[in-house]
Amino acid sequence: MTNTASTTTPTAELSAVGVSIWLDDLSRERINSGGIPKLIAEKNVVGITTNPTIFASALSKGESYDEQVRELAAAGADVTTAVFEITTSDVAQACDIFSDVYEATNGYDGRVSIEVEPGLANDTEGTIAEAKRLWKKVDKLNAMIKIPATKAGLPAITEVIGSGISVNVTLIFGLPRYKEVIDAYLTGLEQAAAKGIDLSTIHSVASFFVSRVDTEIDKRLDAVGTPEALAHKSKSGVANAQLAYELFLAEMATERALALQEQGANRQRPLWASTGVKSPDLPDTMYVVELATHGVVNTMPEKTLDATFDHGVIKGDVVAASYAGAHEIIDALPGFGIDYDDVTETLEAEGVDKFNVSWGELLDTVTAALEGAKK
């Protein structure tokens, strides 16, 4: 169900395995340049994700936003309103660009994600309200609202899914939390069904972060410093994601999940996020090649997409035969004094903090732009 515009490139081979390639980047400049249709046609890109960091970067570069900023300044918009208008405009335009992919795949792909304000990560009701506001404003069926998988985010996911809104659950690091995310999704589907909503119209992905797991665990392995610990580096991120896929298959095959699928519900696909390598010692396509399997999304920064297209060696579905080895890798961590739950809790808190910092940078950038437009 993915785009296979070409059959000879590594990205086409990846699509043929069953991986949906989504670009982890969006900007007005990218929209206006016409570059997205080229990525769709040539590099098998079938969706886009955004986050506060991406928007902060986009707003700080170039002149693509100047006209809208002048209009907002003239209308007396405050910075929060301006950010809302600018980001939702980008996402709505990108949704239009991907509308053909959306139609061709019956809603499976052609998706564009926009995130709720990160300051709401621990505010259930605030997250629900913001998610519904974003959905209404973008007003495109192929949009997805990103909600973090915090404790407060879980009931928000259920409520938003239960309202018939497609959700990209973000900032998932640990398997226990991932299981809670799946339960939140299924509960939301049950609520939607009770309201008479067509379940086939609701789509969801669960964004499981990969490279950040390696970064945190490798730091702790370095601190241990033994040859055995150092030999274990750069293995946990892939293993953790492989076990997430094992969990996904098991949870989507339960009586509960199958009953919903019989009513037209879609499976909540795993999405591999944070797939750009952080260490120069690692192959730049590692988090793509080693996580290739059917029915997943890999959302790549452009650098990783280009590397995959240029020299990725796709080995087919490598996840299906990986579970035993992946369990061994994760099960070995306590022997090095590494607490898996502490790692994932640390990463979740850091993830929320990083997006809050980026949100602050975004607000500062737009504030300066609004002030400049008034002069």
Side-chain angles (χ1 to χ4, degrees):
M1 297 178 77
T2 50
N3 182 358
T4 53
S6 167
T7 56
T8 57
T9 65
T11 54
E13 293 171 13
L14 190 65
S15 294
V17 172
V19 179
S20 294
I21 299 170
W22 292 4
L23 180 70
D24 195 25
D25 188 48
L26 181 63
S27 67
R28 186 73 51 86
E29 184 177 359
R30 189 181 287 281
I31 291 168
N32 292 342
S33 71
I36 296 174
K38 190 176 182 191
L39 291 174
I40 294 170
E42 296 180 2
K43 296 184 179 179
N44 305 85
V45 171
V46 291
I48 276 188
T49 53
T50 63
N51 60 45
T53 303
I54 289 170
F55 276 128
S57 175
L59 265 292
S60 66
K61 299 172 185 172
E63 302 172 351
S64 302
Y65 296 93
D66 289 0
E67 182 179 350
Q68 188 177 13
V69 168
R70 283 193 294 269
E71 292 172 356
L72 289 164
D78 61 23
V79 64
T80 304
T81 300
V83 167
F84 183 80
E85 293 294 329
I86 289 167
T87 56
T88 53
S89 176
D90 276 4
V91 169
Q93 289 182 71
C95 282
D96 286 340
I97 295 170
F98 278 99
S99 61
D100 287 348
V101 176
Y102 172 77
E103 294 293 338
T105 62
N106 196 29
Y108 187 77
D109 280 315
R111 296 283 172 174
V112 185
S113 299
I114 184 168
E115 188 145 357
V116 296
E117 182 182 331
L120 299 170
N122 297 309
D123 178 353
T124 300
E125 293 306 318
T127 295
I128 293 168
E130 180 73 356
K132 291 181 177 179
R133 184 167 167 250
L134 286 167
W135 180 257
K136 184 177 180 181
K137 178 66 176 179
V138 174
D139 196 25
K140 304 289 181 181
L141 291 175
N142 55 329
M144 272 188 164
I145 309 302
K146 291 178 81 172
I147 297 176
T150 55
K151 274 292 184 185
L154 295 171
I157 292 161
T158 292
E159 168 64 27
V160 174
I161 289 288
S163 300
I165 297 171
S166 293
V167 173
N168 177 338
V169 183
T170 188
L171 287 178
I172 308 173
F173 297 96
L175 297 167
R177 180 55 53 84
Y178 179 36
K179 189 168 183 177
E180 292 179 307
V181 166
I182 294 171
D183 177 68
Y185 172 62
L186 297 177
T187 304
L189 288 176
E190 288 162 350
Q191 292 182 4
K195 296 174 187 174
I197 295 172
D198 180 357
L199 298 187
S200 70
T201 64
I202 305 170
H203 287 256
S204 183
V205 293
S207 297
F208 214 87
F209 282 55
V210 186
S211 66
R212 292 192 200 178
V213 172
D214 269 340
T215 300
E216 180 63 26
I217 289 178
D218 287 0
K219 180 174 69 176
R220 300 184 187 205
L221 289 167
D222 277 331
V224 176
T226 63
E228 293 79 10
L230 298 178
H232 210 72
K233 287 180 62 177
S234 304
K235 296 178 179 179
S236 300
V238 166
N240 196 42
Q242 290 168 338
L243 296 183
Y245 189 76
E246 181 185 41
L247 180 61
F248 154 73
L249 291 180
E251 292 297 312
M252 290 298 148
T254 62
E255 279 188 33
R256 180 190 185 196
L258 290 174
L260 287 162
Q261 290 167 43
E262 286 170 6
Q263 296 176 60
N266 300 289
R267 300 198 301 178
Q268 182 188 52
R269 287 186 288 168
L271 179 152
W272 310 134
S274 182
T275 56
V277 297
K278 302 292 193 285
S279 169
D281 300 327
L282 299 175
D284 53 6
T285 62
M286 183 175 88
Y287 298 125
V288 176
V289 173
E290 299 303 325
L291 292 174
T293 190
H294 178 73
V296 299
V297 178
N298 194 309
T299 178
M300 308 178 196
E302 190 165 24
K303 185 177 179 182
T304 303
L305 172 65
D306 289 345
T308 301
F309 181 79
D310 179 65
H311 55 262
V313 180
I314 309 305
K315 300 179 288 188
D317 183 344
V318 296
V319 175
S322 69
Y323 305 137
H327 278 286
E328 287 178 8
I329 290 166
I330 299 302
D331 291 347
L333 294 175
F336 300 116
I338 295 174
D339 184 331
Y340 175 87
D341 291 337
D342 183 69
V343 167
T344 58
E345 288 165 12
T346 297
L347 287 169
E348 180 183 300
E350 285 182 355
V352 172
D353 287 345
K354 285 177 181 177
F355 279 167
N356 272 316
V357 169
S358 295
W359 190 258
E361 292 171 355
L362 178 57
L363 293 177
D364 290 346
T365 301
V366 175
T367 298
L370 289 170
E371 290 302 318
K374 293 174 184 176
K375 293 177 182 177

